[in-house]
């Protein structure tokens, strides 16, 4: 990875793309530190910290602490992700959108992007109003606003919506003028930005356990768990890298054909099929769907009152609970199949092989080939989806085990596992994008 970045830095055009990406991320981190007025951020931060194992804690992780600090980027990129999910699902259900996607070409793509942007603003407006309602009601009936009234409400909602729309635009600019997928990189920056806070929290938790001064702290960790956590994280990263690079290679043989006095074909090749073809997108989208109950709960004042029906309903979706884990796991599998279906079309691949005189040994060209490819894709997708789900939930299981031994630090590991998958996945995808850019420019050092 470091060598790839060094090689890219030597190419002036790629150096400009890298600098643009870094500058955009710097803007993101600055905006994530600018608080929205009329909000008691200290009380809000303490409340979100006490809810670290809930979906509120998950939203805070994805926004890089901006949610707990009520900054202009508090909604992060979640409205755009939700909008993308809705539009992509509607393209399957609505024939007009499906035609626009398949037959519209570049113009159709631009129209779908415009529809996605408008939907993003609408969703951001709904979420911002819900967040304002949550702030107005507060925790236990104590409002988290410093000033009440219509004008503060307009300012707060407008600031949240504007911040989300700006992040959407910033992500698109990174995709176009920078390196990698802008939306994924913004999520990556938000998660990595919390690393110093996480390290500081673990250190304070160990001190709290050693001194016994704060037994009710949200994070109390026995020192013996630290080496196991570090080794487990390193092993998790190595496993993610291994599976991300793993692929099934289907052999392809090309028939010999004579054109004039020359003979073409006869060589062997293969079709590489990634085990985890969809990358981190299933996890990102599953998180967006899993955050819907918390968004709905923001509109209900009684949701923050312990013992109420809405509070009990939201507690079911605790990120360390069984219901949330099952729903999260099933959503990951669902979106894995959904994206693999979009990315790989067995019928189209079989037709292209037939046109070019290629065939898979043991299978006739045409439908038998497409059926075989469909079967292979289905099996590989299932394995990749289960891998994503297990890796995402494994830290939750470990966290519950740690909690059983009296360490409340374990409740945060479930969120940490999901974060590791996103960080590692985005880093690998960005490096591959850099390598592709180097390959396009015939960088000598890279090709050697």
């Amino acid at each position: 990875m470091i060598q790839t970045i060094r090689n890219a830095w030597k190419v002036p055009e790629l150096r400009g793309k890298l600098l643009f990406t870094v500058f955009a991320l710097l803007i993101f981190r600055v905006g994530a530190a600018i608080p929205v007025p009329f909000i008691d951020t200290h009380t809000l931060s303490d409340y979100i910290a006490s809810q670290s194992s809930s979906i509120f804690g998950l939203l805070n992780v994805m926004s890089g602490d901006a949610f707990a600090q009520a900054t202009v980027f508090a909604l992060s990129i979640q409205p755009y992700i939700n909008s993308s999910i809705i539009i992509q699902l509607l393209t399957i259900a609505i024939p007009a959108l499906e035609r626009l996607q398949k037959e519209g070409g570049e113009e159709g793509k631009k129209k779908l992007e415009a529809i996605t942007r408008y939907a993003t603003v609408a969703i951001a407006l709904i979420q911002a109003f819900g967040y304002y309602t949550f702030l107005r009601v507060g925790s236990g009936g104590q409002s988290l606003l410093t000033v009440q009234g219509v004008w503060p409400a307009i300012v707060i909602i407008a600031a949240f919506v504007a911040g989300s729309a700006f992040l959407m635009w910033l992500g698109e600019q990174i995709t176009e003028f920078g390196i990698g997928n802008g939306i994924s990189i913004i999520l990556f920056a938000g998660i990595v930005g919390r690393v110093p806070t996480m390290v500081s929290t673990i250190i304070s938790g160990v001190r709290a356990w050693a001194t016994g001064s704060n037994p009710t702290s949200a994070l109390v960790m026995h020192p013996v768990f630290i080496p196991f956590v570090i080794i487990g994280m390193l092993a998790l990263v190595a496993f993610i890298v291994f599976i991300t690079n793993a692929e099934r290679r289907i052999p392809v043989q090309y028939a010999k054909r004579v054109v004039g006095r020359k003979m073409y074909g006869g060589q062997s090749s293969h079709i590489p099929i990634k085990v985890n073809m969809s990358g981190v997108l299933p996890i990102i989208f599953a998180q967006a769907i899993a955050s819907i109950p918390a968004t709905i709960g923001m509109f209900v004042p009684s949701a923050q009152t312990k013992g109420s029906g809405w509070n009990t309903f939201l507690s079911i979706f605790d990120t360390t609970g069984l219901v949330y884990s099952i729903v999260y796991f099933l959503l990951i599998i669902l979106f894995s199949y959904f994206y693999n279906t979009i990315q790989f079309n067995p019928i189209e691949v079989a037709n292209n092989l037939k046109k070019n005189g290629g065939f898979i040994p043991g299978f006739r060209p045409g439908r038998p080939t497409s059926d075989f490819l469909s079967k292979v894709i289905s099996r590989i997708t299932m394995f990749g989806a289960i891998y994503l789900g297990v890796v995402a939930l494994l830290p939750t299981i470990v966290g519950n085990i740690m909690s059983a031994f009296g360490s409340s630090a374990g409740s945060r590991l479930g969120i940490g596992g999901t974060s590791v998958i996103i960080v590692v996945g985005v880093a690998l995808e960005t490096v591959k994008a850099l390598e592709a850019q180097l390959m396009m420019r015939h960088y000598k050092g890279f090709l050697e």
Side-chain angles (χ1 to χ4, degrees):
M1 179 184 296
I2 297 176
Q3 185 63 34
T4 301
I5 295 176
R6 286 180 180 175
N7 293 338
W9 188 260
K10 296 176 183 177
V11 181
E13 187 176 352
L14 293 184
R15 188 191 308 139
K17 288 178 176 288
L18 287 172
L19 290 175
F20 181 87
T21 304
V22 172
F23 181 70
L25 294 181
L26 179 62
I27 293 176
F28 165 65
R29 293 308 301 164
V30 170
I34 300 176
V36 174
F38 311 124
I39 299 175
D40 184 1
T41 56
H42 296 290
T43 305
L44 174 64
S45 179
D46 293 339
Y47 176 73
I48 297 297
S50 66
Q51 302 290 321
S52 59
S53 63
S54 67
I55 295 183
F56 289 132
L58 180 61
L59 294 175
N60 189 41
V61 170
M62 294 298 106
S63 64
D65 271 340
F67 187 83
Q69 300 297 329
T71 66
V72 292
F73 292 160
L75 298 182
S76 187
I77 206 69
Q78 293 297 327
Y80 181 79
I81 296 174
N82 293 336
S83 174
S84 299
I85 297 173
I86 293 172
I87 299 302
Q88 291 185 22
L89 292 176
L90 289 179
T91 54
I92 299 176
I94 301 177
L97 291 178
E98 186 177 6
R99 288 194 300 270
L100 196 64
Q101 183 186 38
K102 294 183 177 180
E103 304 172 5
E106 191 65 27
E107 190 66 25
K109 183 180 178 181
K110 290 181 179 179
K111 289 182 179 180
L112 283 177
E113 289 176 352
I115 294 173
T116 304
R117 293 190 192 101
Y118 293 135
T120 298
V121 174
I123 293 174
L125 186 62
I126 295 173
Q127 291 187 352
F129 180 76
Y131 195 18
Y132 166 75
T133 304
F134 162 71
L135 294 172
R136 180 171 57 83
V137 175
S139 173
Q142 180 183 0
S143 176
L144 299 173
L145 300 176
T146 58
V147 179
Q148 300 284 349
V150 177
W151 174 246
I154 294 175
V155 171
I156 292 171
I157 294 173
F160 288 148
V161 174
S164 182
F166 179 80
L167 277 185
M168 172 186 65
W169 175 84
L170 189 65
E172 292 178 349
Q173 298 307 304
I174 294 175
T175 302
E176 185 174 357
F177 301 107
I179 298 293
N181 183 284
I183 305 303
S184 299
I185 289 178
I186 287 177
L187 276 177
F188 172 88
I191 295 171
V192 172
R194 295 193 77 250
V195 171
T197 303
M198 292 179 179
V199 173
S200 175
T201 307
I202 290 176
I203 293 174
S204 62
V206 173
R207 290 176 178 172
W209 177 88
T211 60
S213 58
N214 192 12
T216 60
S217 172
L219 175 59
V220 178
M221 175 179 279
H222 195 292
V224 76
F225 285 120
I226 295 180
F228 292 101
V229 171
I230 294 175
I231 295 174
M233 284 295 181
L234 292 176
L236 185 61
V237 170
F239 180 66
I240 293 172
V241 173
F242 173 76
I243 295 296
T244 302
N245 294 327
E247 62 184 20
R248 165 79 182 272
R249 296 182 177 182
I250 300 177
V252 176
Q253 184 73 34
Y254 288 91
K256 294 182 180 180
R257 53 195 178 95
V258 179
V259 180
R261 295 184 178 181
K262 295 183 178 180
M263 182 175 290
Y264 296 90
Q267 72 273 18
S268 299
S269 183
H270 65 270
I271 301 175
I273 301 178
K274 290 285 187 182
V275 173
N276 184 25
M277 192 183 303
S278 53
V280 298
L281 288 176
I283 287 182
I284 295 174
F285 280 19
Q287 281 184 340
I289 298 297
S291 65
I292 291 178
T295 304
I296 297 175
M298 289 180 180
F299 290 90
V300 184
S302 61
Q304 310 308 321
T305 303
K306 291 186 177 181
S308 65
W310 273 103
N311 185 267
T312 304
F313 171 75
L314 289 179
S315 65
I316 295 176
F317 291 91
D318 189 298
T319 54
T320 60
L322 179 62
V323 174
Y324 177 87
S325 299
I326 294 174
V327 172
Y328 189 35
F329 184 81
L330 294 177
L331 285 174
I332 290 175
I333 292 179
L334 174 65
F335 282 114
S336 295
Y337 273 97
F338 176 72
Y339 271 95
N340 284 2
T341 302
I342 293 176
Q343 292 179 354
F344 192 94
N345 188 344
I347 298 177
E348 183 178 350
V349 173
N351 291 335
N352 290 336
L353 286 176
K354 187 176 180 180
K355 290 178 182 178
N356 293 288
F359 63 94
I360 298 175
F363 298 91
R364 296 179 60 186
R367 182 163 184 175
T369 298
S370 65
D371 291 343
F372 170 71
L373 290 175
S374 298
K375 186 184 297 184
V376 172
I377 288 295
S378 178
R379 291 177 178 177
I380 291 180
T381 301
M382 176 56 71
F383 180 82
I386 292 176
Y387 142 75
L388 284 177
V390 168
V391 172
L393 295 178
L394 182 61
T396 301
I397 299 172
V398 174
N400 289 331
I401 294 174
M402 291 176 61
S403 299
F405 285 93
S407 174
S408 59
S411 62
R412 298 189 179 187
L413 291 177
I415 296 176
T418 303
S419 303
V420 170
I421 294 178
I422 294 177
V423 168
V424 176
V426 172
L428 291 175
E429 289 176 2
T430 305
V431 170
K432 288 180 180 178
L434 267 178
E435 291 177 348
Q437 293 282 346
L438 288 170
M439 184 73 76
M440 288 173 56
R441 288 161 179 78
H442 302 286
Y443 183 74
K444 184 177 179 182
F446 173 73
L447 295 178
E448 288 177 350

Short mmCIF file of all heavy atoms in Angstrom, two decimals, residues 114-159:
data_model
loop_
_atom_site.label_atom_id
_atom_site.label_comp_id
_atom_site.label_asym_id
_atom_site.label_seq_id
_atom_site.Cartn_x
_atom_site.Cartn_y
_atom_site.Cartn_z
N ALA A 114 -29.71 12.90 -10.40
CA ALA A 114 -30.46 14.08 -9.95
C ALA A 114 -31.61 13.67 -9.03
O ALA A 114 -31.87 14.30 -8.00
CB ALA A 114 -30.99 14.85 -11.16
N ILE A 115 -32.32 12.59 -9.39
CA ILE A 115 -33.41 12.09 -8.55
C ILE A 115 -32.87 11.67 -7.18
O ILE A 115 -33.49 11.93 -6.14
CB ILE A 115 -34.13 10.92 -9.24
CG1 ILE A 115 -34.83 11.39 -10.51
CG2 ILE A 115 -35.14 10.27 -8.30
CD1 ILE A 115 -35.41 10.27 -11.35
N THR A 116 -31.69 11.02 -7.19
CA THR A 116 -31.07 10.59 -5.93
C THR A 116 -30.72 11.80 -5.05
O THR A 116 -30.91 11.76 -3.82
CB THR A 116 -29.80 9.77 -6.21
OG1 THR A 116 -30.12 8.66 -7.05
CG2 THR A 116 -29.19 9.25 -4.92
N ARG A 117 -30.24 12.87 -5.67
CA ARG A 117 -29.90 14.08 -4.90
C ARG A 117 -31.15 14.69 -4.27
O ARG A 117 -31.13 15.08 -3.09
CB ARG A 117 -29.22 15.09 -5.81
CG ARG A 117 -27.85 14.66 -6.32
CD ARG A 117 -27.14 15.80 -7.00
NE ARG A 117 -25.97 15.35 -7.73
CZ ARG A 117 -25.92 15.16 -9.04
NH1 ARG A 117 -27.01 15.42 -9.78
NH2 ARG A 117 -24.83 14.75 -9.63
N TYR A 118 -32.23 14.80 -5.05
CA TYR A 118 -33.47 15.37 -4.49
C TYR A 118 -34.00 14.51 -3.35
O TYR A 118 -34.45 15.03 -2.32
CB TYR A 118 -34.53 15.50 -5.59
CG TYR A 118 -34.19 16.53 -6.66
CD1 TYR A 118 -34.35 16.25 -8.01
CD2 TYR A 118 -33.70 17.79 -6.30
CE1 TYR A 118 -34.04 17.18 -8.99
CE2 TYR A 118 -33.38 18.72 -7.26
CZ TYR A 118 -33.54 18.42 -8.61
OH TYR A 118 -33.22 19.36 -9.56
N ALA A 119 -33.93 13.19 -3.54
CA ALA A 119 -34.38 12.28 -2.47
C ALA A 119 -33.50 12.42 -1.24
O ALA A 119 -33.98 12.31 -0.10
CB ALA A 119 -34.38 10.84 -2.98
N THR A 120 -32.20 12.67 -1.45
CA THR A 120 -31.28 12.86 -0.32
C THR A 120 -31.68 14.06 0.53
O THR A 120 -31.72 14.00 1.76
CB THR A 120 -29.84 13.05 -0.83
OG1 THR A 120 -29.43 11.87 -1.53
CG2 THR A 120 -28.88 13.29 0.33
N VAL A 121 -31.99 15.16 -0.14
CA VAL A 121 -32.40 16.37 0.59
C VAL A 121 -33.70 16.12 1.35
O VAL A 121 -33.86 16.55 2.50
CB VAL A 121 -32.56 17.55 -0.40
CG1 VAL A 121 -33.11 18.78 0.32
CG2 VAL A 121 -31.22 17.89 -1.04
N ALA A 122 -34.64 15.41 0.72
CA ALA A 122 -35.91 15.11 1.39
C ALA A 122 -35.70 14.24 2.62
O ALA A 122 -36.26 14.50 3.69
CB ALA A 122 -36.87 14.43 0.40
N ILE A 123 -34.87 13.20 2.49
CA ILE A 123 -34.60 12.32 3.63
C ILE A 123 -33.84 13.07 4.72
O ILE A 123 -34.10 12.90 5.92
CB ILE A 123 -33.80 11.08 3.16
CG1 ILE A 123 -34.67 10.22 2.25
CG2 ILE A 123 -33.32 10.26 4.36
CD1 ILE A 123 -33.95 9.05 1.62
N ALA A 124 -32.89 13.91 4.31
CA ALA A 124 -32.14 14.71 5.29
C ALA A 124 -33.07 15.65 6.05
O ALA A 124 -32.91 15.86 7.26
CB ALA A 124 -31.04 15.51 4.58
N LEU A 125 -34.06 16.20 5.36
CA LEU A 125 -35.02 17.08 6.02
C LEU A 125 -35.83 16.32 7.06
O LEU A 125 -36.05 16.81 8.18
CB LEU A 125 -35.95 17.69 4.96
CG LEU A 125 -36.93 18.76 5.44
CD1 LEU A 125 -36.18 19.97 6.00
CD2 LEU A 125 -37.85 19.20 4.30
N ILE A 126 -36.24 15.11 6.72
CA ILE A 126 -37.00 14.29 7.67
C ILE A 126 -36.13 13.91 8.87
O ILE A 126 -36.56 14.03 10.03
CB ILE A 126 -37.53 13.02 6.97
CG1 ILE A 126 -38.54 13.40 5.88
CG2 ILE A 126 -38.17 12.07 7.98
CD1 ILE A 126 -38.99 12.24 5.03
N GLN A 127 -34.91 13.47 8.62
CA GLN A 127 -34.02 13.09 9.71
C GLN A 127 -33.63 14.29 10.57
O GLN A 127 -33.51 14.16 11.80
CB GLN A 127 -32.77 12.41 9.15
CG GLN A 127 -33.04 11.04 8.54
CD GLN A 127 -31.77 10.33 8.14
OE1 GLN A 127 -30.67 10.90 8.17
NE2 GLN A 127 -31.89 9.06 7.76
N ALA A 128 -33.43 15.44 9.94
CA ALA A 128 -33.08 16.65 10.70
C ALA A 128 -34.22 17.06 11.62
O ALA A 128 -33.99 17.45 12.77
CB ALA A 128 -32.72 17.78 9.75
N PHE A 129 -35.44 16.96 11.12
CA PHE A 129 -36.60 17.29 11.97
C PHE A 129 -36.71 16.29 13.12
O PHE A 129 -37.01 16.68 14.26
CB PHE A 129 -37.88 17.30 11.14
CG PHE A 129 -39.11 17.63 11.94
CD1 PHE A 129 -39.36 18.95 12.32
CD2 PHE A 129 -40.00 16.64 12.33
CE1 PHE A 129 -40.48 19.26 13.07
CE2 PHE A 129 -41.12 16.94 13.08
CZ PHE A 129 -41.36 18.26 13.45
N GLY A 130 -36.45 15.01 12.82
CA GLY A 130 -36.47 14.02 13.89
C GLY A 130 -35.39 14.27 14.93
O GLY A 130 -35.62 14.13 16.14
N TYR A 131 -34.21 14.65 14.47
CA TYR A 131 -33.10 14.95 15.39
C TYR A 131 -33.44 16.17 16.25
O TYR A 131 -33.17 16.19 17.45
CB TYR A 131 -31.83 15.20 14.58
CG TYR A 131 -30.55 15.18 15.40
CD1 TYR A 131 -30.50 14.61 16.65
CD2 TYR A 131 -29.38 15.73 14.89
CE1 TYR A 131 -29.34 14.59 17.40
CE2 TYR A 131 -28.20 15.72 15.63
CZ TYR A 131 -28.19 15.14 16.87
OH TYR A 131 -27.03 15.14 17.61
N TYR A 132 -34.07 17.18 15.63
CA TYR A 132 -34.48 18.36 16.39
C TYR A 132 -35.52 17.98 17.45
O TYR A 132 -35.46 18.46 18.59
CB TYR A 132 -35.04 19.42 15.46
CG TYR A 132 -35.78 20.52 16.19
CD1 TYR A 132 -35.09 21.50 16.89
CD2 TYR A 132 -37.18 20.53 16.22
CE1 TYR A 132 -35.77 22.49 17.59
CE2 TYR A 132 -37.86 21.51 16.91
CZ TYR A 132 -37.15 22.48 17.60
OH TYR A 132 -37.82 23.46 18.29
N THR A 133 -36.47 17.10 17.08
CA THR A 133 -37.48 16.67 18.04
C THR A 133 -36.83 15.94 19.21
O THR A 133 -37.20 16.14 20.37
CB THR A 133 -38.49 15.74 17.34
OG1 THR A 133 -39.07 16.41 16.22
CG2 THR A 133 -39.59 15.32 18.31
N PHE A 134 -35.85 15.11 18.90
CA PHE A 134 -35.11 14.40 19.95
C PHE A 134 -34.39 15.39 20.87
O PHE A 134 -34.40 15.23 22.09
CB PHE A 134 -34.11 13.45 19.29
CG PHE A 134 -33.01 12.99 20.20
CD1 PHE A 134 -33.25 12.12 21.25
CD2 PHE A 134 -31.70 13.43 20.00
CE1 PHE A 134 -32.23 11.70 22.08
CE2 PHE A 134 -30.68 13.02 20.83
CZ PHE A 134 -30.94 12.15 21.89
N LEU A 135 -33.78 16.43 20.29
CA LEU A 135 -33.08 17.43 21.09
C LEU A 135 -34.06 18.25 21.94
O LEU A 135 -33.75 18.62 23.08
CB LEU A 135 -32.27 18.36 20.18
CG LEU A 135 -31.10 17.72 19.41
CD1 LEU A 135 -30.53 18.71 18.39
CD2 LEU A 135 -30.01 17.26 20.36
N ARG A 136 -35.22 18.55 21.36
CA ARG A 136 -36.20 19.36 22.08
C ARG A 136 -36.76 18.60 23.27
O ARG A 136 -36.95 19.16 24.35
CB ARG A 136 -37.32 19.76 21.13
CG ARG A 136 -38.40 20.62 21.77
CD ARG A 136 -39.35 21.16 20.72
NE ARG A 136 -39.95 20.08 19.95
CZ ARG A 136 -41.01 19.37 20.34
NH1 ARG A 136 -41.58 19.64 21.51
NH2 ARG A 136 -41.51 18.42 19.58
N VAL A 137 -37.03 17.30 23.08
CA VAL A 137 -37.57 16.50 24.18
C VAL A 137 -36.47 16.18 25.19
O VAL A 137 -36.65 16.25 26.40
CB VAL A 137 -38.20 15.20 23.62
CG1 VAL A 137 -38.65 14.30 24.77
CG2 VAL A 137 -39.36 15.54 22.72
N GLY A 138 -35.27 15.81 24.65
CA GLY A 138 -34.12 15.55 25.50
C GLY A 138 -34.19 14.21 26.20
O GLY A 138 -34.98 13.33 25.86
N SER A 139 -33.35 14.08 27.20
CA SER A 139 -33.25 12.84 27.98
C SER A 139 -33.99 12.99 29.29
O SER A 139 -33.69 13.89 30.08
CB SER A 139 -31.77 12.51 28.24
OG SER A 139 -31.65 11.43 29.12
N GLY A 140 -34.98 12.11 29.50
CA GLY A 140 -35.74 12.16 30.75
C GLY A 140 -36.54 13.43 30.90
O GLY A 140 -36.75 13.92 32.01
N GLY A 141 -36.98 14.01 29.76
CA GLY A 141 -37.76 15.24 29.80
C GLY A 141 -36.94 16.51 29.90
O GLY A 141 -37.50 17.61 29.90
N GLN A 142 -35.61 16.40 29.98
CA GLN A 142 -34.74 17.58 30.04
C GLN A 142 -34.30 17.94 28.63
O GLN A 142 -33.59 17.19 27.97
CB GLN A 142 -33.52 17.29 30.91
CG GLN A 142 -32.57 18.48 31.03
CD GLN A 142 -31.35 18.15 31.83
OE1 GLN A 142 -31.20 17.03 32.32
NE2 GLN A 142 -30.44 19.11 31.99
N SER A 143 -34.72 19.12 28.16
CA SER A 143 -34.41 19.55 26.80
C SER A 143 -32.91 19.76 26.63
O SER A 143 -32.21 20.21 27.54
CB SER A 143 -35.16 20.84 26.47
OG SER A 143 -34.80 21.31 25.18
N LEU A 144 -32.42 19.44 25.44
CA LEU A 144 -31.01 19.63 25.11
C LEU A 144 -30.79 20.90 24.31
O LEU A 144 -29.70 21.13 23.79
CB LEU A 144 -30.49 18.42 24.31
CG LEU A 144 -30.56 17.08 25.05
CD1 LEU A 144 -30.18 15.93 24.12
CD2 LEU A 144 -29.65 17.09 26.26
N LEU A 145 -31.83 21.74 24.20
CA LEU A 145 -31.72 23.02 23.52
C LEU A 145 -31.51 24.14 24.53
O LEU A 145 -32.10 24.13 25.61
CB LEU A 145 -32.98 23.31 22.70
CG LEU A 145 -33.34 22.30 21.59
CD1 LEU A 145 -34.66 22.69 20.95
CD2 LEU A 145 -32.24 22.23 20.56
N THR A 146 -30.67 25.09 24.17
CA THR A 146 -30.44 26.24 25.05
C THR A 146 -31.47 27.32 24.85
O THR A 146 -31.70 28.15 25.73
CB THR A 146 -29.04 26.81 24.80
OG1 THR A 146 -28.91 27.18 23.42
CG2 THR A 146 -27.96 25.78 25.14
N VAL A 147 -32.10 27.34 23.66
CA VAL A 147 -33.12 28.34 23.34
C VAL A 147 -34.27 27.65 22.64
O VAL A 147 -34.05 26.84 21.72
CB VAL A 147 -32.56 29.47 22.41
CG1 VAL A 147 -33.67 30.47 22.08
CG2 VAL A 147 -31.38 30.16 23.07
N GLN A 148 -35.50 27.91 23.07
CA GLN A 148 -36.69 27.34 22.44
C GLN A 148 -37.29 28.36 21.47
O GLN A 148 -37.03 29.55 21.56
CB GLN A 148 -37.72 26.97 23.51
CG GLN A 148 -37.23 25.95 24.53
CD GLN A 148 -37.21 24.54 23.97
OE1 GLN A 148 -37.73 24.28 22.89
NE2 GLN A 148 -36.58 23.62 24.71
N GLY A 149 -38.09 27.86 20.52
CA GLY A 149 -38.76 28.76 19.60
C GLY A 149 -38.69 28.28 18.16
O GLY A 149 -38.02 27.30 17.84
N VAL A 150 -39.41 29.02 17.31
CA VAL A 150 -39.47 28.64 15.89
C VAL A 150 -38.15 28.94 15.20
O VAL A 150 -37.66 28.12 14.40
CB VAL A 150 -40.62 29.40 15.19
CG1 VAL A 150 -40.65 29.06 13.70
CG2 VAL A 150 -41.96 29.05 15.84
N TRP A 151 -37.56 30.12 15.46
CA TRP A 151 -36.32 30.48 14.78
C TRP A 151 -35.18 29.50 15.07
O TRP A 151 -34.50 29.05 14.13
CB TRP A 151 -35.93 31.91 15.15
CG TRP A 151 -34.59 32.32 14.61
CD1 TRP A 151 -33.46 32.60 15.31
CD2 TRP A 151 -34.25 32.48 13.23
NE1 TRP A 151 -32.44 32.93 14.46
CE2 TRP A 151 -32.88 32.86 13.17
CE3 TRP A 151 -34.95 32.33 12.03
CZ2 TRP A 151 -32.22 33.10 11.98
CZ3 TRP A 151 -34.30 32.57 10.84
CH2 TRP A 151 -32.94 32.95 10.83
N PRO A 152 -34.91 29.13 16.34
CA PRO A 152 -33.88 28.11 16.59
C PRO A 152 -34.17 26.79 15.86
O PRO A 152 -33.24 26.14 15.37
CB PRO A 152 -33.91 27.92 18.11
CG PRO A 152 -34.44 29.21 18.62
CD PRO A 152 -35.44 29.66 17.61
N ALA A 153 -35.46 26.41 15.79
CA ALA A 153 -35.81 25.17 15.09
C ALA A 153 -35.44 25.25 13.62
O ALA A 153 -34.87 24.31 13.05
CB ALA A 153 -37.30 24.88 15.26
N ILE A 154 -35.74 26.39 12.99
CA ILE A 154 -35.42 26.55 11.56
C ILE A 154 -33.91 26.51 11.35
O ILE A 154 -33.41 25.87 10.41
CB ILE A 154 -36.01 27.89 11.04
CG1 ILE A 154 -37.54 27.83 11.07
CG2 ILE A 154 -35.51 28.18 9.62
CD1 ILE A 154 -38.21 29.13 10.69
N VAL A 155 -33.16 27.20 12.22
CA VAL A 155 -31.70 27.25 12.08
C VAL A 155 -31.10 25.86 12.24
O VAL A 155 -30.24 25.43 11.46
CB VAL A 155 -31.10 28.23 13.11
CG1 VAL A 155 -29.57 28.12 13.13
CG2 VAL A 155 -31.51 29.65 12.79
N ILE A 156 -31.55 25.11 13.26
CA ILE A 156 -30.99 23.78 13.53
C ILE A 156 -31.28 22.82 12.37
O ILE A 156 -30.38 22.14 11.87
CB ILE A 156 -31.55 23.24 14.85
CG1 ILE A 156 -31.02 24.05 16.03
CG2 ILE A 156 -31.19 21.76 15.03
CD1 ILE A 156 -31.67 23.72 17.36
N ILE A 157 -32.54 22.79 11.94
CA ILE A 157 -32.92 21.87 10.85
C ILE A 157 -32.21 22.24 9.56
O ILE A 157 -31.68 21.37 8.84
CB ILE A 157 -34.45 21.87 10.67
CG1 ILE A 157 -35.13 21.28 11.90
CG2 ILE A 157 -34.84 21.09 9.41
CD1 ILE A 157 -36.64 21.38 11.88
N ALA A 158 -32.15 23.54 9.25
CA ALA A 158 -31.49 23.99 8.02
C ALA A 158 -29.99 23.65 8.05
O ALA A 158 -29.41 23.26 7.03
CB ALA A 158 -31.69 25.49 7.82
N ALA A 159 -29.36 23.79 9.21
CA ALA A 159 -27.93 23.50 9.32
C ALA A 159 -27.66 22.01 9.09
O ALA A 159 -26.71 21.64 8.38
CB ALA A 159 -27.42 23.93 10.70
#
